Amino acid sequence: MMPVRHQVLLRLLLACALWLGALASFVAIRPIPRDVVTSRASSLLLWARTMWLPVVVVAGQGVVMGIIGGAVLNTSIGTTVGLSALLAVAGVSFVFANHALASWFGNVGRAISVILLAVTVALGLSSATGWLSPLGTISPLHNAFLLVRTWLSGGSGEVGLAAVAILMAAIGAVLSIM
């Protein structure tokens, strides 16, 4: 049996690895296509052309991370499948959020993404960082970490956290499209 502290660290690592994967997507791929001004394609088609590869890669990363997390934590098949699905959906949400940050603010948006990562790590590892909790409240990463932690511990509150995650994904998608 893995010590509780290591379990918390692994749950945090699962969420943070997805966030970094989504962030890296828009370091490697331009968030706004070069031909955006000259293209005859609709804005929605240009957006979809930019988003499909990061969405597929990070969702796949979520599935793999869920399988690895389930194996390391020695969870049941049902919990592992649920974790994989949860991480895949969270990964897609992270792609939307990181695309919106990178396309709206460029490198400043990427810096905001790194700050949200640091805040989530700080809040996940210590309870003495209460002054950071307002940032954690608006962070899709921190919400996903709480959802993963709740899912794996069999706790209550999953529906509320999932609703917040869906709302954050919708907001991220709208901002990403804009």
Side-chain angles (χ1 to χ4, degrees):
M1 179 90 185
M2 184 181 288
V4 174
R5 184 78 173 155
H6 291 139
Q7 290 178 15
V8 171
L9 189 59
L10 180 63
R11 293 167 185 171
L12 185 61
L13 182 62
L14 291 172
C16 290
L18 285 176
W19 186 261
L20 286 172
L23 174 61
S25 296
F26 296 107
V27 171
I29 297 171
R30 291 178 53 90
I32 300 174
R34 291 185 194 271
D35 64 344
V36 72
V37 175
T38 60
S39 177
R40 292 183 170 261
S42 69
S43 296
L44 195 57
L45 184 62
L46 289 171
W47 175 80
R49 195 173 69 195
T50 301
M51 297 296 287
W52 79 268
L53 183 60
V55 163
V56 168
V57 168
V58 177
Q61 179 188 358
V63 170
V64 171
M65 295 295 291
I67 292 168
I68 292 170
V72 170
L73 292 171
N74 199 23
T75 62
S76 69
I77 296 292
T79 301
T80 301
V81 168
L83 178 62
S84 293
L86 180 105
L87 289 174
V89 172
V92 172
S93 172
F94 293 171
V95 169
F96 292 153
N98 276 287
H99 179 259
L101 286 169
S103 59
W104 279 78
F105 304 114
N107 287 334
V108 172
R110 291 177 183 96
I112 291 169
S113 181
V114 171
I115 289 169
L116 291 175
L117 175 69
V119 166
T120 299
V121 169
L123 289 172
L125 295 179
S126 175
S127 60
T129 54
W131 60 275
L132 288 175
S133 59
L135 285 174
T137 303
I138 62 168
S139 170
L141 173 58
H142 186 68
N143 184 67
F145 164 65
L146 294 176
L147 189 54
V148 167
R149 185 179 70 183
T150 303
W151 174 259
L152 288 173
S153 65
S156 62
E158 293 167 345
V159 173
L161 287 169
V164 170
I166 291 168
L167 176 64
M168 288 183 174
I171 291 169
V174 168
L175 291 174
S176 175
I177 291 170
M178 292 174 58

